[in-house]
Amino acid sequence: METRISRDLFERALEVIPGGVNSPVRAFRAVGMTPPFIKRAKGACVYDVDGNKYIDYICSWGPMILGHAREEIIEEITIAAQEGTSFGAPTEREVVLAEMICEAVPSVEKVRMVSSGTEAVMSAIRLARGFTGRDKILKFEGCYHGHSDGLLVKAGSGALTFGEPDSSGVPKDYAKNTLTATYNKIDQVEGIFKACGEEIAAVIIEPVVGNMGVVPPQEGFLKGLRELTAQYGALLIFDEVITGFRLGYSGAQGYFNITPDLSVFGKIIGGGMPVGAYGGSKRIMDLISPVGPVYQAGTLSGNPVAMAAGIATLRVLKNNPKIYDSLNAKAKQLENAFIEAAGEYDIPLVVNCVGSLLNPFFTNKKVVDFESASSSDAVVFNQYFKYMLEDGIYLAPSRYEAMFVSEAHSEEDIGETIKAIKSNLKRIKAKMKGS
Ligand SMILES: *Cc1c(COP(=O)(O)O)cnc(C)c1O
């Protein structure tokens, strides 16, 4: 595989961009490699600057549910761009996209557009604090909610301690307002609420985790959170930046039939353009400025080109509800391939698959939380990742990231991927024996 042009570009990038990348995981450090620079993409495939072609399972980390450069979306983006790329004024397109989101997701009566998932989560938390008059929030270890200060927090030592900064630059005092619990442990959450439930403004959760690998909620967990938050007057925030419009047109809340107070979206609703959104009931959302006292604003919020991409994407999903069955069936085929090959070659492997999200963990443990997800063998994963890339399968370069299946993955693409999974698990087995 030729990589010269990518390597040259990476060297240049390292001189002028920290780590050579604009988002850390892109640097391929976790797998000890340097990244291919992508030149273009079409359908299920991305092509790098050295002319290598890959079947893409990163899908821009989730947004490209319909595949890359899809005609209808490019057309809408082009029309919007020709009409002017930004006005900083109300436009019809932002009303249309807001109507589509409110119609798709019953718990959302009003929605505010922003430019990233991070911004949407940050704003939803501010709103929850404004609404409840409380300062603390509760998050779960291993869930990612963007990089705002209050969410870059890990658990302190001991179950009921306050959070600690998980990044340099996050004030300790600020992190103290973020409590951290173990995913899927409702007893622990109950204990926290018993200790300080009246101080908690909101519980925020990925209803299916996509950011420690794929981890589904266990039976009763989301329902338990719904009941506890209601009992203590805290808000339940579903971070649906990944699951929204992926687990179904009404997201994880439709999939599990749980109604959160606030919902956060991103990724898919921007159709590959920078968009985030947060929404909920009118009663809560009308606390936002200019109606209410919770301030939030954005120069490029509701940007017409971004709205056009989002509208076009949601329109395709809405008009073709069978897309979801087809996405899920493809993910299932991949899941089965992992299970079969791991069985045949006797490799410790667990696959979590929910809808069109899946990923293999190289472990014997059932993966239900961050600790069990971390038991996935990094050395084996890195070998697997490298072999797959050599075979033209573009996976996220981290054992904590999901595989995203898109509408554009054809039967041939899936077949080729299955072949690569089988032959590479076989190679891994041979290597394990040899060492
Ligand atoms: C990607 C992601 C975010 C952050 O979105 P950005 O657009 O990257 O800021 C927040 N929450 C979840 C669950 C995500 O996967």
Side-chain angles (χ1 to χ4, degrees):
M1 193 165 70
E2 183 57 53
T3 59
R4 190 182 55 80
I5 303 175
S6 278
R7 278 185 287 121
D8 286 352
L9 278 172
F10 195 54
E11 296 226 329
R12 275 171 59 195
L14 284 169
E15 291 299 315
V16 287
I17 304 173
V21 290
N22 283 312
S23 198
V25 72
R26 295 182 197 167
F28 275 47
R29 284 192 171 207
V31 290
M33 298 168 71
T34 60
F37 277 59
I38 304 304
K39 172 92 175 165
R40 65 189 178 89
K42 183 76 188 167
C45 294
V46 294
Y47 301 81
D48 71 16
V49 286
D50 288 286
N52 300 299
K53 172 185 172 183
Y54 310 91
I55 301 174
D56 178 21
Y57 289 97
I58 298 183
C59 288
S60 186
W61 309 88
M64 311 318 295
I65 191 168
L66 299 175
H68 295 281
R70 189 173 166 121
E71 296 295 334
E72 299 99 305
I73 299 172
I74 300 307
E75 247 168 54
E76 293 292 333
I77 289 176
T78 308
I79 294 169
Q82 282 166 342
E83 291 175 356
T85 53
S86 183
F87 320 117
T91 65
E92 183 175 355
R93 287 190 179 89
E94 57 193 349
V95 183
V96 172
L97 186 57
E99 286 171 345
M100 291 179 94
I101 294 172
C102 292
E103 188 198 301
V105 186
S107 73
V108 176
E109 293 174 348
K110 287 193 178 184
V111 62
R112 179 54 79 77
M113 301 294 170
V114 293
S115 298
S116 71
T118 296
E119 198 186 348
V121 171
M122 185 184 84
S123 310
I125 300 258
R126 181 179 303 144
L127 175 58
R129 287 177 165 147
F131 179 77
T132 58
R134 303 170 179 182
D135 284 346
K136 289 193 190 345
I137 57 166
L138 176 68
K139 80 177 281 285
F140 294 92
E141 189 182 18
C143 285
Y144 178 68
H145 302 292
H147 64 88
S148 66
D149 279 353
L151 290 154
L152 286 181
V153 167
K154 62 183 175 202
S157 49
L160 266 179
T161 57
F162 298 114
E164 289 190 16
D166 201 17
S167 160
S168 168
V170 174
K172 254 188 169 16
D173 275 352
Y174 202 78
K176 276 183 186 160
N177 280 321
T178 306
L179 306 165
T180 307
T182 307
Y183 200 83
N184 274 327
K185 279 230 170 78
I186 195 70
D187 294 354
Q188 199 188 70
V189 179
E190 195 173 352
I192 293 171
F193 267 96
K194 278 196 176 128
C196 60
E198 260 94 50
E199 297 169 56
I200 297 176
V203 172
I204 182 161
I205 187 164
E206 288 184 73
V208 172
V209 192
N211 284 293
M212 52 178 161
V214 176
V215 178
Q218 288 178 326
E219 187 70 41
F221 180 58
L222 296 176
K223 190 158 170 279
L225 293 179
R226 179 62 286 184
E227 287 166 5
L228 276 171
T229 46
Q231 186 188 335
Y232 284 88
L235 300 188
L236 179 62
I237 305 176
F238 272 12
D239 180 345
E240 297 231 37
V241 171
I242 286 180
T243 54
F245 298 91
R246 176 168 288 276
L247 291 190
Y249 197 63
S250 54
Q253 49 199 281
Y255 192 88
F256 295 111
N257 197 20
I258 303 276
T259 305
D261 299 296
L262 289 175
S263 304
V264 181
F265 300 96
K267 298 190 173 129
I268 288 175
I269 64 159
M273 299 292 288
V275 180
Y278 63 107
S281 67
K282 289 180 180 165
R283 193 168 69 103
I284 302 175
M285 292 303 289
D286 279 341
L287 282 186
I288 300 167
S289 184
V291 196
V294 177
Y295 192 73
Q296 184 266 310
T299 301
L300 292 174
S301 292
N303 174 269
V305 183
M307 294 297 102
I311 292 166
T313 300
L314 296 202
R315 193 183 291 141
V316 173
L317 292 171
K318 186 183 170 191
N319 294 340
N320 303 277
K322 287 212 176 78
I323 283 181
Y324 290 106
D325 294 336
S326 139
L327 287 172
N328 299 356
K330 286 184 267 190
K332 199 88 202 148
Q333 279 180 281
L334 297 173
E335 180 190 23
N336 289 339
F338 279 115
I339 294 170
E340 270 171 36
E344 183 169 352
Y345 304 116
D346 193 25
I347 293 170
L349 186 141
V350 168
V351 195
N352 282 354
C353 177
V354 186
S356 55
L357 298 166
L358 83 156
N359 78 302
F361 296 92
F362 291 98
T363 178
N364 277 323
K365 278 194 188 169
K366 194 171 158 128
V367 175
V368 295
D369 56 19
F370 185 66
E371 194 188 333
S372 43
S374 305
S375 71
S376 183
D377 190 311
V379 177
V380 176
F381 174 84
N382 288 358
Q383 192 57 256
Y384 152 80
F385 173 84
K386 206 168 161 189
Y387 287 159
M388 292 294 275
L389 193 68
E390 285 167 9
D391 281 351
I393 314 291
Y394 188 63
L395 303 169
S398 158
R399 68 201 157 111
Y400 293 117
E401 303 288 350
M403 283 173 85
F404 293 97
V405 178
S406 86
E407 208 267 328
H409 286 106
S410 65
E411 273 311 311
E412 291 85 72
D413 295 326
I414 298 292
E416 203 172 309
T417 309
I418 289 174
K419 223 170 82 191
I421 289 169
K422 292 191 168 168
S423 72
N424 289 324
L425 290 192
K426 185 175 178 183
R427 283 170 83 187
I428 285 170
K429 185 65 191 180
K431 188 143 184 172
M432 280 174 167
K433 271 191 193 147
S435 60

